[in-house]
Amino acid sequence: DGGITQSPKYLFRKEGQNVTLSCEQNLNHDAMYWYRQDPGQGLRLIYYSQIVNDFQKGDIAEGYSVSREKKESFPLTVTSAQKNPTAFYLCASSIAADEPYEQYFGPGTRLTVT
Amino acid sequence: KNQVEQSPQSLIILEGKNCTLQCNYTVSPFSNLRWYKQDTGRGPVSLTIMTFSENTKSNGRYTATLDADTKQSSLHITASQLSDSASYICVVIEFSGGYNKLIFGAGTRLAVHP
């Protein structure tokens, strides 16, 4: 898991509530990413950030929002607009996004919405 | 559209035996290919990274091969151990618009039995 922490490990929410997942890294990486993992599917990119105060939508950004106010932190908010929020969420970071540097993953947060 | 296909979906082998996992991809332009190991409920951890000019790369008991002409890769595990039980994910890097995008396969779930 390197120097990336995600909290909490498990999260339970009622439908209709927004929830924020934490991701912190101490690797001094410029780029950070959020992925969603569902059973039987590959990881899918939600949002990524190449530098502080900048972020871009990934393939499945609808119903999610992010911020990048600090280099170390890239929180993900799952809004009530996300139709199927129950999933395993993984945060990652890399030195930069414009070269194929390795991405290091956090331990993940399993979100269950009922 | 699934650009990275892995087979088999799941595999059971006995401890000490060898196995080979397959990955076919259609991603273009192709930057490099990686194999990750993901333990249940954890984030993926990189095993090997290969550029398009490399044919093979080893990491201990793990050996990855790449045929960029046929767009196929394999991961060979030698003398399997119980701790090898995990999902193995093939990831192809697509370089597009100044950004290196990771395209994930769905993974092969390996179970090593005593």
Side-chain angles (χ1 to χ4, degrees):
Chain A
D1 300 334
I4 301 178
T5 58
Q6 291 185 242
S7 61
K9 180 79 172 165
Y10 300 95
L11 193 53
F12 298 88
R13 279 294 183 271
K14 295 288 188 184
E15 195 173 318
Q17 293 179 334
N18 291 354
V19 59
T20 297
L21 281 60
S22 167
C23 177
E24 303 278 331
Q25 54 100 359
N26 62 4
L27 301 170
N28 200 33
H29 286 171
D30 281 327
M32 297 186 74
Y33 314 80
W34 273 106
Y35 294 93
R36 169 183 173 137
Q37 188 173 34
D38 295 283
Q41 297 187 41
L43 274 68
R44 291 181 290 167
L45 181 66
I46 303 172
Y47 268 98
Y48 69 98
S49 168
Q50 294 184 295
I51 200 166
V52 174
N53 293 321
D54 180 70
F55 49 82
Q56 306 293 331
K57 291 182 179 180
D59 298 320
I60 55 166
E62 185 176 350
Y64 299 98
S65 66
V66 294
S67 63
R68 186 87 186 275
E69 297 177 1
K70 298 188 298 182
K71 188 175 185 178
E72 310 80 43
S73 179
F74 191 40
L76 172 74
T77 297
V78 184
T79 75
S80 56
Q82 168 50 234
K83 290 180 172 43
N84 296 297
T86 295
F88 189 50
Y89 290 88
L90 286 159
C91 177
S93 72
S94 64
I95 294 174
D98 58 352
E99 293 289 340
Y101 296 112
E102 181 164 355
Q103 289 190 14
Y104 295 88
F105 288 84
T109 292
R110 185 166 297 281
L111 173 65
T112 302
V113 177
T114 57
Chain B
K1 156 175 93 168
N2 192 341
Q3 296 179 288
V4 179
E5 298 281 352
Q6 291 188 243
S7 63
Q9 282 188 323
S10 61
L11 182 62
I12 300 173
I13 62 174
L14 294 176
E15 188 178 10
K17 297 297 186 183
N18 304 337
C19 67
T20 301
L21 314 180
Q22 300 291 343
C23 174
N24 296 339
Y25 63 92
T26 59
V27 177
S28 181
F30 159 74
S31 172
N32 60 52
L33 185 146
R34 302 171 183 172
W35 283 91
Y36 282 85
K37 178 186 179 185
Q38 184 177 23
D39 292 314
T40 301
R42 305 292 299 273
V45 176
S46 179
L47 292 174
T48 63
I49 301 175
M50 290 186 290
T51 66
F52 61 86
S53 62
E54 294 179 290
N55 298 120
T56 185
K57 182 73 72 78
S58 291
N59 178 2
R61 295 180 296 102
Y62 301 101
T63 299
T65 64
L66 174 62
D67 186 333
D69 292 330
T70 62
K71 298 190 175 179
Q72 295 179 323
S73 176
S74 66
L75 180 70
H76 186 74
I77 304 175
T78 303
S80 61
Q81 301 176 357
L82 298 178
S83 59
D84 291 331
S85 296
S87 286
Y88 292 84
I89 303 173
C90 175
V91 183
V92 179
I93 317 301
E94 175 188 57
F95 185 72
S96 174
Y99 167 67
N100 287 273
K101 180 179 180 180
L102 274 63
I103 301 181
F104 292 78
T108 292
R109 182 172 295 277
L110 174 66
V112 180
H113 289 183

